[in-house]
Amino acid sequence: PPEPRVAPQQPAKEAEPEAPKRDDFGSYEEYLEARAVHVAEKAAVAAQEKAAKASQERTQREQEVKRTNEFKAKVSAKYPDIEERVAAIGDLPIHKGVQDAIAESEFGPEILNDLVSRPEEFERLFKLSAPSAITALGRMEARYEAAKKPPEPIKKPSAAPEPIKPGGGGSPEDGTPSDKDSIDDWMRKSHA
């Protein structure tokens, strides 16, 4: 199953400094100057946060594009006609989490090929909620995992002789008495 994604930690926001108060300054000009500095600092912090967020989003998009391209290359190498078959199905709205689950699966190319080969299953899967669709993908992945395992070796029968069976040891065929014999038969066999 795919590993859960951990959201990147956001830097802890520092407590925003209080705006200057008129009573804290000797003159109105000093107050206005302090207020202008405060507004400028606040704008600088907001610009830094915006730039950091944009950089983080850009990095995430680049990673997603890289993952998508790697997945497409892996699928195309295994199934060269996959793009035409996907196009033949048409546009189906696919949950982002479902896309990620397929792309990150060890069996992603096989799962996608299976879904494209069975358009009705493909459509049914993507009508489900994201968690239900991911659960269904997990079941598909488990089937591929089970098929991947080598079969259990066939055990050869032992060359050892059959064990001796308790309970009198005799059998009706060899003429020795057995616990299953009637009293008359047992007496006859034991005195023979």
Side-chain angles (χ1 to χ4, degrees):
E3 293 182 20
R5 290 185 186 213
V6 177
Q9 289 186 344
Q10 298 292 329
K13 275 194 169 181
E14 295 179 22
E16 189 175 303
E18 268 189 48
K21 296 179 183 159
R22 170 65 181 106
D23 296 341
D24 295 341
F25 298 93
S27 71
Y28 189 69
E29 289 77 28
E30 288 175 343
Y31 165 71
L32 288 178
E33 188 175 317
R35 180 134 173 90
V37 168
H38 173 74
V39 169
E41 287 174 350
K42 194 173 172 182
V45 167
Q48 284 178 333
E49 288 174 354
K50 185 177 179 181
K53 184 177 179 183
S55 174
Q56 183 181 16
E57 288 173 354
R58 185 174 45 255
T59 302
Q60 285 177 336
R61 279 192 306 272
E62 289 169 357
Q63 289 173 345
E64 284 181 25
V65 167
K66 181 181 176 190
R67 268 194 314 270
T68 300
N69 289 338
E70 288 172 353
F71 180 69
K72 282 182 179 180
K74 196 167 41 170
V75 172
S76 294
K78 248 184 174 176
Y79 307 101
D81 66 336
I82 195 82
E83 287 190 36
E84 294 84 29
R85 293 188 299 143
V86 168
I89 292 174
D91 258 351
L92 289 175
I94 301 172
H95 300 288
K96 177 72 176 119
V98 175
Q99 290 175 1
D100 292 343
I102 293 172
E104 292 174 6
S105 170
E106 176 185 355
F107 302 103
E110 290 82 3
I111 290 171
L112 182 61
N113 181 60
D114 188 15
L115 290 172
V116 170
S117 298
R118 299 181 305 144
E120 68 286 346
E121 178 66 12
F122 193 72
E123 190 171 340
R124 183 195 72 78
L125 181 72
F126 295 110
K127 285 182 178 177
L128 298 174
S129 67
S132 296
I134 290 171
T135 300
L137 289 174
R139 286 191 296 269
M140 291 177 78
E141 190 173 46
R143 284 193 303 267
Y144 283 107
E145 183 69 36
K148 179 181 169 184
K149 290 181 182 177
E152 291 288 322
I154 299 173
K155 294 182 180 181
K156 285 187 1 182
S158 171
E162 286 289 321
I164 298 172
K165 295 180 183 173
S171 71
E173 295 86 33
D174 65 7
T176 53
S178 165
D179 289 344
K180 295 179 183 175
D181 291 337
S182 67
I183 294 176
D184 291 336
D185 287 339
W186 190 85
M187 292 294 286
R188 183 179 42 80
K189 288 180 183 179
S190 66
H191 294 314

PDB file of all heavy atoms in Angstrom, residues 5-8 10 53-67:
ATOM      1  N   ARG A   5       1.222  10.374   3.136  1.00  0.00           N
ATOM      2  CA  ARG A   5       2.008  11.593   2.976  1.00  0.00           C
ATOM      3  C   ARG A   5       1.912  12.436   4.239  1.00  0.00           C
ATOM      4  O   ARG A   5       0.860  12.524   4.848  1.00  0.00           O
ATOM      5  CB  ARG A   5       1.488  12.413   1.808  1.00  0.00           C
ATOM      6  CG  ARG A   5       1.775  11.763   0.512  1.00  0.00           C
ATOM      7  CD  ARG A   5       1.348  12.703  -0.572  1.00  0.00           C
ATOM      8  NE  ARG A   5       1.481  12.019  -1.834  1.00  0.00           N
ATOM      9  CZ  ARG A   5       1.797  12.615  -2.942  1.00  0.00           C
ATOM     10  NH1 ARG A   5       2.016  13.894  -2.960  1.00  0.00           N
ATOM     11  NH2 ARG A   5       1.889  11.935  -4.050  1.00  0.00           N
ATOM     12  N   VAL A   6       3.010  13.053   4.581  1.00  0.00           N
ATOM     13  CA  VAL A   6       3.043  13.927   5.738  1.00  0.00           C
ATOM     14  C   VAL A   6       3.139  15.350   5.215  1.00  0.00           C
ATOM     15  O   VAL A   6       3.995  15.667   4.398  1.00  0.00           O
ATOM     16  CB  VAL A   6       4.254  13.603   6.647  1.00  0.00           C
ATOM     17  CG1 VAL A   6       4.310  14.558   7.805  1.00  0.00           C
ATOM     18  CG2 VAL A   6       4.187  12.174   7.115  1.00  0.00           C
ATOM     19  N   ALA A   7       2.238  16.194   5.674  1.00  0.00           N
ATOM     20  CA  ALA A   7       2.262  17.583   5.231  1.00  0.00           C
ATOM     21  C   ALA A   7       3.513  18.258   5.778  1.00  0.00           C
ATOM     22  O   ALA A   7       3.898  18.024   6.926  1.00  0.00           O
ATOM     23  CB  ALA A   7       1.021  18.309   5.730  1.00  0.00           C
ATOM     24  N   PRO A   8       4.186  19.056   4.936  1.00  0.00           N
ATOM     25  CA  PRO A   8       5.374  19.727   5.427  1.00  0.00           C
ATOM     26  C   PRO A   8       5.019  20.656   6.581  1.00  0.00           C
ATOM     27  O   PRO A   8       3.962  21.282   6.587  1.00  0.00           O
ATOM     28  CB  PRO A   8       5.893  20.510   4.218  1.00  0.00           C
ATOM     29  CG  PRO A   8       4.825  20.460   3.190  1.00  0.00           C
ATOM     30  CD  PRO A   8       3.853  19.391   3.576  1.00  0.00           C
ATOM     31  N   GLN A  10       4.864  23.813   8.783  1.00  0.00           N
ATOM     32  CA  GLN A  10       4.917  25.247   8.562  1.00  0.00           C
ATOM     33  C   GLN A  10       5.740  25.865   9.689  1.00  0.00           C
ATOM     34  O   GLN A  10       5.629  25.432  10.838  1.00  0.00           O
ATOM     35  CB  GLN A  10       3.506  25.853   8.580  1.00  0.00           C
ATOM     36  CG  GLN A  10       2.590  25.327   7.494  1.00  0.00           C
ATOM     37  CD  GLN A  10       3.034  25.761   6.116  1.00  0.00           C
ATOM     38  OE1 GLN A  10       3.611  26.827   5.941  1.00  0.00           O
ATOM     39  NE2 GLN A  10       2.802  24.919   5.127  1.00  0.00           N
ATOM     40  N   LYS A  53       5.758  30.617   0.725  1.00  0.00           N
ATOM     41  CA  LYS A  53       4.637  29.761   0.338  1.00  0.00           C
ATOM     42  C   LYS A  53       4.672  29.489  -1.162  1.00  0.00           C
ATOM     43  O   LYS A  53       4.469  28.351  -1.596  1.00  0.00           O
ATOM     44  CB  LYS A  53       3.308  30.423   0.725  1.00  0.00           C
ATOM     45  CG  LYS A  53       2.100  29.561   0.441  1.00  0.00           C
ATOM     46  CD  LYS A  53       0.828  30.220   0.914  1.00  0.00           C
ATOM     47  CE  LYS A  53      -0.361  29.339   0.584  1.00  0.00           C
ATOM     48  NZ  LYS A  53      -1.625  29.957   0.958  1.00  0.00           N
ATOM     49  N   ALA A  54       4.943  30.499  -1.963  1.00  0.00           N
ATOM     50  CA  ALA A  54       5.024  30.321  -3.411  1.00  0.00           C
ATOM     51  C   ALA A  54       6.163  29.365  -3.773  1.00  0.00           C
ATOM     52  O   ALA A  54       6.018  28.505  -4.646  1.00  0.00           O
ATOM     53  CB  ALA A  54       5.218  31.665  -4.106  1.00  0.00           C
ATOM     54  N   SER A  55       7.280  29.500  -3.082  1.00  0.00           N
ATOM     55  CA  SER A  55       8.421  28.616  -3.337  1.00  0.00           C
ATOM     56  C   SER A  55       8.067  27.170  -2.981  1.00  0.00           C
ATOM     57  O   SER A  55       8.393  26.234  -3.726  1.00  0.00           O
ATOM     58  CB  SER A  55       9.625  29.080  -2.526  1.00  0.00           C
ATOM     59  OG  SER A  55      10.690  28.172  -2.647  1.00  0.00           O
ATOM     60  N   GLN A  56       7.408  26.992  -1.855  1.00  0.00           N
ATOM     61  CA  GLN A  56       7.002  25.654  -1.419  1.00  0.00           C
ATOM     62  C   GLN A  56       6.011  25.048  -2.418  1.00  0.00           C
ATOM     63  O   GLN A  56       6.130  23.876  -2.784  1.00  0.00           O
ATOM     64  CB  GLN A  56       6.378  25.723  -0.030  1.00  0.00           C
ATOM     65  CG  GLN A  56       5.982  24.381   0.532  1.00  0.00           C
ATOM     66  CD  GLN A  56       5.348  24.499   1.911  1.00  0.00           C
ATOM     67  OE1 GLN A  56       4.939  25.581   2.330  1.00  0.00           O
ATOM     68  NE2 GLN A  56       5.256  23.394   2.606  1.00  0.00           N
ATOM     69  N   GLU A  57       5.047  25.845  -2.870  1.00  0.00           N
ATOM     70  CA  GLU A  57       4.067  25.356  -3.845  1.00  0.00           C
ATOM     71  C   GLU A  57       4.752  25.008  -5.164  1.00  0.00           C
ATOM     72  O   GLU A  57       4.429  23.999  -5.790  1.00  0.00           O
ATOM     73  CB  GLU A  57       2.975  26.402  -4.064  1.00  0.00           C
ATOM     74  CG  GLU A  57       2.023  26.532  -2.893  1.00  0.00           C
ATOM     75  CD  GLU A  57       1.044  27.691  -3.039  1.00  0.00           C
ATOM     76  OE1 GLU A  57       1.165  28.481  -4.013  1.00  0.00           O
ATOM     77  OE2 GLU A  57       0.161  27.813  -2.173  1.00  0.00           O
ATOM     78  N   ARG A  58       5.699  25.822  -5.593  1.00  0.00           N
ATOM     79  CA  ARG A  58       6.435  25.563  -6.827  1.00  0.00           C
ATOM     80  C   ARG A  58       7.220  24.252  -6.711  1.00  0.00           C
ATOM     81  O   ARG A  58       7.204  23.421  -7.609  1.00  0.00           O
ATOM     82  CB  ARG A  58       7.365  26.739  -7.152  1.00  0.00           C
ATOM     83  CG  ARG A  58       8.094  26.620  -8.464  1.00  0.00           C
ATOM     84  CD  ARG A  58       8.910  27.864  -8.840  1.00  0.00           C
ATOM     85  NE  ARG A  58       9.704  28.414  -7.744  1.00  0.00           N
ATOM     86  CZ  ARG A  58       9.413  29.519  -7.047  1.00  0.00           C
ATOM     87  NH1 ARG A  58       8.330  30.215  -7.330  1.00  0.00           N
ATOM     88  NH2 ARG A  58      10.203  29.938  -6.082  1.00  0.00           N
ATOM     89  N   THR A  59       7.872  24.048  -5.569  1.00  0.00           N
ATOM     90  CA  THR A  59       8.630  22.815  -5.345  1.00  0.00           C
ATOM     91  C   THR A  59       7.695  21.607  -5.369  1.00  0.00           C
ATOM     92  O   THR A  59       8.018  20.581  -5.973  1.00  0.00           O
ATOM     93  CB  THR A  59       9.378  22.887  -3.999  1.00  0.00           C
ATOM     94  OG1 THR A  59      10.250  24.019  -4.017  1.00  0.00           O
ATOM     95  CG2 THR A  59      10.176  21.637  -3.737  1.00  0.00           C
ATOM     96  N   GLN A  60       6.533  21.729  -4.738  1.00  0.00           N
ATOM     97  CA  GLN A  60       5.563  20.628  -4.736  1.00  0.00           C
ATOM     98  C   GLN A  60       5.088  20.322  -6.148  1.00  0.00           C
ATOM     99  O   GLN A  60       4.973  19.159  -6.535  1.00  0.00           O
ATOM    100  CB  GLN A  60       4.375  20.957  -3.839  1.00  0.00           C
ATOM    101  CG  GLN A  60       4.672  20.851  -2.369  1.00  0.00           C
ATOM    102  CD  GLN A  60       3.477  21.246  -1.509  1.00  0.00           C
ATOM    103  OE1 GLN A  60       2.597  21.987  -1.939  1.00  0.00           O
ATOM    104  NE2 GLN A  60       3.460  20.761  -0.284  1.00  0.00           N
ATOM    105  N   ARG A  61       4.785  21.376  -6.937  1.00  0.00           N
ATOM    106  CA  ARG A  61       4.336  21.164  -8.315  1.00  0.00           C
ATOM    107  C   ARG A  61       5.435  20.492  -9.134  1.00  0.00           C
ATOM    108  O   ARG A  61       5.164  19.572  -9.912  1.00  0.00           O
ATOM    109  CB  ARG A  61       3.940  22.496  -8.967  1.00  0.00           C
ATOM    110  CG  ARG A  61       2.555  22.979  -8.597  1.00  0.00           C
ATOM    111  CD  ARG A  61       2.100  24.128  -9.481  1.00  0.00           C
ATOM    112  NE  ARG A  61       3.020  25.240  -9.531  1.00  0.00           N
ATOM    113  CZ  ARG A  61       3.043  26.277  -8.690  1.00  0.00           C
ATOM    114  NH1 ARG A  61       2.175  26.317  -7.699  1.00  0.00           N
ATOM    115  NH2 ARG A  61       3.919  27.248  -8.827  1.00  0.00           N
ATOM    116  N   GLU A  62       6.683  20.927  -8.948  1.00  0.00           N
ATOM    117  CA  GLU A  62       7.798  20.324  -9.681  1.00  0.00           C
ATOM    118  C   GLU A  62       7.943  18.846  -9.317  1.00  0.00           C
ATOM    119  O   GLU A  62       8.181  18.007 -10.195  1.00  0.00           O
ATOM    120  CB  GLU A  62       9.102  21.072  -9.389  1.00  0.00           C
ATOM    121  CG  GLU A  62       9.168  22.446 -10.015  1.00  0.00           C
ATOM    122  CD  GLU A  62      10.347  23.295  -9.515  1.00  0.00           C
ATOM    123  OE1 GLU A  62      11.096  22.835  -8.621  1.00  0.00           O
ATOM    124  OE2 GLU A  62      10.498  24.418 -10.017  1.00  0.00           O
ATOM    125  N   GLN A  63       7.797  18.522  -8.022  1.00  0.00           N
ATOM    126  CA  GLN A  63       7.884  17.125  -7.597  1.00  0.00           C
ATOM    127  C   GLN A  63       6.743  16.307  -8.184  1.00  0.00           C
ATOM    128  O   GLN A  63       6.939  15.163  -8.604  1.00  0.00           O
ATOM    129  CB  GLN A  63       7.884  17.036  -6.068  1.00  0.00           C
ATOM    130  CG  GLN A  63       9.155  17.523  -5.437  1.00  0.00           C
ATOM    131  CD  GLN A  63       9.070  17.573  -3.913  1.00  0.00           C
ATOM    132  OE1 GLN A  63       7.992  17.506  -3.329  1.00  0.00           O
ATOM    133  NE2 GLN A  63      10.215  17.716  -3.271  1.00  0.00           N
ATOM    134  N   GLU A  64       5.536  16.877  -8.217  1.00  0.00           N
ATOM    135  CA  GLU A  64       4.394  16.176  -8.790  1.00  0.00           C
ATOM    136  C   GLU A  64       4.590  15.931 -10.279  1.00  0.00           C
ATOM    137  O   GLU A  64       4.304  14.838 -10.775  1.00  0.00           O
ATOM    138  CB  GLU A  64       3.103  16.971  -8.559  1.00  0.00           C
ATOM    139  CG  GLU A  64       2.585  16.875  -7.148  1.00  0.00           C
ATOM    140  CD  GLU A  64       1.289  17.649  -6.945  1.00  0.00           C
ATOM    141  OE1 GLU A  64       0.543  17.858  -7.936  1.00  0.00           O
ATOM    142  OE2 GLU A  64       1.009  18.033  -5.798  1.00  0.00           O
ATOM    143  N   VAL A  65       5.087  16.936 -10.992  1.00  0.00           N
ATOM    144  CA  VAL A  65       5.342  16.788 -12.426  1.00  0.00           C
ATOM    145  C   VAL A  65       6.396  15.708 -12.654  1.00  0.00           C
ATOM    146  O   VAL A  65       6.251  14.848 -13.533  1.00  0.00           O
ATOM    147  CB  VAL A  65       5.777  18.134 -13.055  1.00  0.00           C
ATOM    148  CG1 VAL A  65       6.342  17.947 -14.449  1.00  0.00           C
ATOM    149  CG2 VAL A  65       4.596  19.100 -13.085  1.00  0.00           C
ATOM    150  N   LYS A  66       7.433  15.712 -11.833  1.00  0.00           N
ATOM    151  CA  LYS A  66       8.495  14.700 -11.961  1.00  0.00           C
ATOM    152  C   LYS A  66       7.930  13.306 -11.711  1.00  0.00           C
ATOM    153  O   LYS A  66       8.181  12.378 -12.483  1.00  0.00           O
ATOM    154  CB  LYS A  66       9.622  15.004 -10.972  1.00  0.00           C
ATOM    155  CG  LYS A  66      10.778  14.036 -11.054  1.00  0.00           C
ATOM    156  CD  LYS A  66      11.851  14.358 -10.037  1.00  0.00           C
ATOM    157  CE  LYS A  66      12.948  13.308 -10.093  1.00  0.00           C
ATOM    158  NZ  LYS A  66      13.893  13.430  -9.003  1.00  0.00           N
ATOM    159  N   ARG A  67       7.141  13.144 -10.629  1.00  0.00           N
ATOM    160  CA  ARG A  67       6.530  11.843 -10.331  1.00  0.00           C
ATOM    161  C   ARG A  67       5.609  11.394 -11.467  1.00  0.00           C
ATOM    162  O   ARG A  67       5.623  10.235 -11.875  1.00  0.00           O
ATOM    163  CB  ARG A  67       5.725  11.908  -9.030  1.00  0.00           C
ATOM    164  CG  ARG A  67       6.487  11.535  -7.804  1.00  0.00           C
ATOM    165  CD  ARG A  67       5.585  11.275  -6.598  1.00  0.00           C
ATOM    166  NE  ARG A  67       4.537  12.248  -6.360  1.00  0.00           N
ATOM    167  CZ  ARG A  67       4.669  13.340  -5.608  1.00  0.00           C
ATOM    168  NH1 ARG A  67       5.801  13.593  -5.003  1.00  0.00           N
ATOM    169  NH2 ARG A  67       3.663  14.167  -5.440  1.00  0.00           N
TER     170      ARG A  67
END
